[in-house]
Amino acid sequence: MEEKKNKTSEAKLMKGNEALAEAAIRADIDGYFGYPITPQSEVLEYLEREIPKRHGLVLQAESEIASINMIYGAAGAGARVMTSSSGPGISLMQEGLSYIASAQLPCLVVNVVRGGPGLGTIQPSQGDYFQAVKGGGHGDYHLIVLAPASVQEMADFVFEGFRLAEKYRNPAMILTDGALGQMMEKVIQPEEGSLPKIKTPWATTGKTKDRDHNIITSLFIKPEEMESVNLQLQEKYRKIEKDEVRFEEIKTEDADILLVAFGLSSRICQKTVDLGREKGIKIGLLRPITLYPYPYKRLNELADQVDFMMSVEMNAGQMVEDVKLAVEGKVPVHFTGRMGGMIPSPDDVLHEIESILDNQNVLQD
Amino acid sequence: MRQEHEIICAGFGGQGVLSMGSIIAYSGMIEGKEVSWMPSYGPEMRGGTANCIVIVADDRISSPIITKFDSAIVLNQPSLDKFEKAVKPGGLLLYEQSTIIHPPTREDIDVVCVPAIEEADKLKAKQVANMIMVGAFLEKRPIVKIETIVSALKKALPEHRHHLIPVNELALKRGKELVHLNEKITA
């Protein structure tokens, strides 16, 4: 008992990638299949080092396509499995992800995003938002997408990701970025073994006398069948949208201006909130924690309170479309961001807000 | 009042710039503070300059990436050129003497020159120049205790490197003294 207590309560200074990998072991993964790519190679490296000493299987696949299909197979057999990669590798996985979503299997995929498009740069980015939340692969499907904003959450969301994936038999994704993967912060790891394995009566574990063959497939050649699978999926997505929206609000109670940002951008915006308030500008921040399902409802409510919103992203403006959908034209929605691995500074964001305020004053004069 | 100290450590790869920052962060954590350590991990890591941003605070740290710093610890000319202007007015700039050709010119900040490499040579341990810088920094800005740095080293270093702890301790002390030596000269 004493030992167990130590395991959970000891704070460690860890890189985001390492914290995530350690959490995966503590979440009792049966297998990790991955292929190295900066800025997330530490995940595979950490697991290659630690898993043989502890429990589970770690395997460097020959490619990301192989990784995701190993995930598909292992998840179909009822194993708790994960993979991780960055932009280019995640693109290669899209076909597999669509199959897994269609076959309704739980698994966890981590995208430590780097600047794109193309092979791009290894610097942090949020350019894969559309890919993560709007499908990415073919067909009508969704991943459950979690966006950590600290090294602590890099660890916690491994547990949360598996919990949600298994609850809904749906692939979950942690959408993070190179900076959160590489930076070190204090982290208190979730307790080892605190995520019980679920029952998997649907898994292909060998036919027994008391049931028919379990078949895992994403091929439903008859359109009637394919439609009924789709209806099932949509029903599941409506339930996820109703029950699983997560977000955090910072100083929104009296805010006149609302920043909307996820992941690393939300950390930058927290500083902007403080800087703005020092100057008497009442800024608040809403940080979506789940990117799918998205906090449309809460943003719509806040649109009745604030003068305008601004989405801050490390991309050309992707999530801003969801903010606009949420507010239904009630207030102006602005965007500011940097691309290609560049990161907006808290001062940049404040400067943008101030120039919008200046323009408004000019109009009013 | 809420205390928060934002530091940039910068120099060439191999000078121990990243480990200098991480040992300060680690010590802050041991003392119960919130900390973040954000390295440059891009092309600069593959030869050339390296840097890390370290924040030590009493409570939740907002942005781990910032552009203005309370203190800068620089160990080469490109880093000085880049970060001299990034020190907040009234802030601290520590630079390593032998690596700088054009010393800083700002007068609204506290500038301290530390002959860390020369002193490390005297200790016959070139690799502790970074710890001399840390010692000097903590003398000017005691955000964590020197003793905590030493115990952090004990925890962070693998057993077979523990024989290096005494020379690191010596380096920290030397850094501390050098700050005052330098003050006497300039006075």
Side-chain angles (χ1 to χ4, degrees):
Chain A
M1 199 61 212
E2 199 52 34
E3 198 190 335
K4 223 174 193 179
K5 203 179 150 206
N6 278 339
K7 264 188 193 168
T8 52
S9 60
E10 196 189 337
K12 285 204 158 162
L13 190 67
M14 289 181 110
K15 278 189 166 195
N17 286 333
E18 293 169 346
L20 179 131
E22 172 62 27
I25 299 176
R26 286 166 179 258
D28 272 332
I29 53 163
D30 297 308
Y32 170 94
F33 312 97
Y35 188 82
I37 181 172
T38 308
Q40 65 80 55
S41 295
E42 291 87 357
V43 178
L44 177 59
E45 286 164 9
Y46 189 94
L47 293 173
E48 289 271 15
R49 196 169 64 235
E50 290 299 316
I51 275 192
K53 289 187 243 166
R54 293 157 79 177
H55 50 80
L57 168 79
V58 56
L59 195 141
Q60 180 175 329
E62 65 267 36
S63 72
E64 289 86 349
I65 298 175
S67 309
I68 197 67
N69 284 293
M70 288 173 183
I71 295 280
Y72 185 18
R80 182 176 281 164
V81 285
M82 71 178 270
T83 184
S84 63
S85 188
S86 184
I90 298 288
S91 290
L92 286 170
M93 293 183 188
Q94 293 305 323
E95 181 199 44
L97 278 170
S98 171
Y99 282 39
I100 293 168
S102 175
Q104 303 204 51
L105 297 174
C107 67
L108 182 63
V109 178
V110 182
N111 185 358
V112 185
V113 184
R114 54 192 253 172
L119 205 47
T121 166
I122 58 177
Q123 298 295 335
S125 161
Q126 296 180 325
D128 299 356
Y129 177 88
F130 281 151
Q131 185 196 51
V133 307
K134 308 287 180 192
H138 55 283
D140 278 312
Y141 78 92
H142 280 290
L143 307 173
I144 298 168
V145 185
L146 294 162
S150 62
V151 172
Q152 181 66 52
E153 287 186 345
M154 290 285 275
D156 292 344
F157 287 5
V158 171
F159 276 59
E160 200 53 25
F162 276 120
R163 219 172 266 134
L164 290 166
E166 289 169 0
K167 182 174 174 188
Y168 293 98
R169 282 183 61 189
N170 199 73
M173 174 176 273
I174 292 178
L175 187 74
T176 179
D177 67 73
L180 281 164
Q182 294 297 325
M183 68 186 264
M184 289 201 290
E185 283 185 317
K186 185 168 83 178
V187 56
I188 296 168
Q189 284 285 345
E191 190 180 338
E192 187 149 7
S194 63
L195 190 66
K197 291 271 166 79
I198 51 153
K199 289 204 168 66
T200 54
W202 42 265
T204 51
T205 49
K207 188 188 172 321
T208 52
K209 278 181 188 153
D210 54 346
R211 64 162 170 82
D212 279 341
H213 286 98
N214 279 343
I215 297 170
I216 302 288
T217 184
S218 73
L219 177 69
F220 304 96
I221 200 83
K222 290 183 194 147
E224 296 81 4
E225 248 182 77
M226 188 74 257
E227 185 178 50
S228 94
V229 170
N230 266 288
L231 289 169
Q232 244 182 57
L233 287 176
Q234 291 304 317
E235 194 186 340
K236 178 167 83 176
Y237 299 148
R238 294 303 87 75
K239 192 163 163 35
I240 292 170
E241 286 161 9
K242 186 172 144 280
D243 295 341
E244 308 297 350
V245 175
R246 270 149 235 201
F247 56 87
E248 182 189 9
E249 290 182 43
I250 291 167
K251 296 184 182 163
T252 51
E253 306 81 29
D254 63 341
D256 298 326
I257 296 160
L258 187 74
L259 293 173
V260 189
F262 69 94
L264 185 71
S265 299
S266 74
R267 294 285 295 271
I268 291 156
C269 288
Q270 272 176 45
K271 184 108 185 173
T272 307
V273 168
D274 294 338
L275 292 172
R277 281 175 180 263
E278 278 167 24
K279 290 184 167 182
I281 310 170
K282 285 187 193 161
I283 310 173
L285 169 67
L286 184 136
R287 166 172 85 97
I289 292 172
T290 50
L291 300 179
Y292 178 84
Y294 196 75
Y296 291 111
K297 199 170 144 232
R298 183 58 188 145
L299 280 169
N300 190 283
E301 287 165 9
L302 285 165
D304 295 327
Q305 173 195 323
V306 301
D307 298 333
F308 66 85
M309 293 189 190
M310 182 188 277
S311 182
V312 182
E313 306 169 53
M314 282 142 55
N315 57 39
Q318 300 190 13
M319 186 183 71
V320 64
E321 294 189 2
D322 284 316
V323 181
K324 283 181 179 167
L325 272 179
V327 306
E328 295 176 317
K330 284 183 190 172
V331 289
V333 176
H334 301 273
F335 166 78
T336 188
R338 300 286 298 268
M339 292 170 283
M342 297 300 291
I343 301 169
S345 78
D347 293 301
D348 291 344
V349 179
L350 184 61
H351 183 75
E352 280 296 320
I353 292 172
E354 285 175 321
S355 65
I356 291 167
L357 288 173
D358 285 348
N359 281 340
Q360 279 178 351
N361 289 340
V362 170
L363 289 177
Q364 273 159 15
D365 292 343
Chain B
M1 205 197 125
R2 179 176 188 264
Q3 295 284 326
E4 180 170 84
H5 204 83
E6 299 164 334
I7 310 155
I8 179 89
C9 305
F12 287 121
Q15 284 181 318
V17 170
L18 298 186
S19 49
M20 175 164 77
S22 72
I23 207 73
I24 295 171
Y26 193 28
S27 303
M29 190 189 74
I30 292 174
E31 291 189 5
K33 298 185 168 86
E34 294 299 322
V35 296
S36 77
W37 174 88
M38 180 75 233
S40 58
Y41 67 92
E44 57 273 39
M45 238 187 84
R46 287 138 171 97
T49 61
N51 68 66
C52 63
I53 300 168
V54 176
I55 306 176
V56 179
D58 288 342
D59 47 43
R60 182 169 161 166
I61 292 165
S62 54
S63 177
I65 296 168
I66 43 178
T67 46
K68 292 270 183 287
F69 307 96
D70 297 307
S71 298
I73 309 173
V74 298
L75 283 85
N76 69 5
Q77 189 68 47
S79 301
L80 181 68
D81 297 343
K82 190 168 172 191
F83 294 116
E84 180 181 355
K85 54 186 177 292
V87 179
K88 294 177 194 171
L92 171 68
L93 171 61
L94 281 159
Y95 69 97
E96 200 291 315
Q97 188 177 42
S98 67
T99 53
I100 301 297
I101 303 160
H102 309 291
T105 52
R106 274 180 69 178
E107 285 176 357
D108 62 333
I109 57 174
D110 192 1
V111 175
V112 181
C113 169
V114 185
I117 290 176
E118 191 187 318
E119 290 295 324
D121 274 343
K122 285 185 198 161
L123 292 173
K124 296 193 171 36
K126 263 192 162 64
Q127 71 271 34
V128 298
N130 62 343
M131 282 300 147
I132 294 177
M133 295 303 286
V134 171
F137 166 68
L138 291 177
E139 181 64 8
K140 296 294 289 185
R141 297 286 186 273
I143 55 166
V144 294
K145 295 191 190 78
I146 295 257
E147 302 88 79
T148 316
I149 298 268
V150 176
S151 64
L153 280 171
K154 280 179 191 151
K155 284 190 179 182
L157 289 173
E159 201 77 31
H160 68 277
R161 296 260 183 248
H162 276 200
H163 65 281
L164 295 171
I165 290 169
V167 71
N168 275 282
E169 216 172 334
L170 221 57
L172 287 162
K173 283 206 187 96
R174 193 69 197 123
K176 215 173 138 155
E177 292 160 8
L178 285 171
V179 169
H180 299 295
L181 208 68
N182 190 291
E183 270 171 2
K184 270 176 211 151
I185 294 165
T186 45

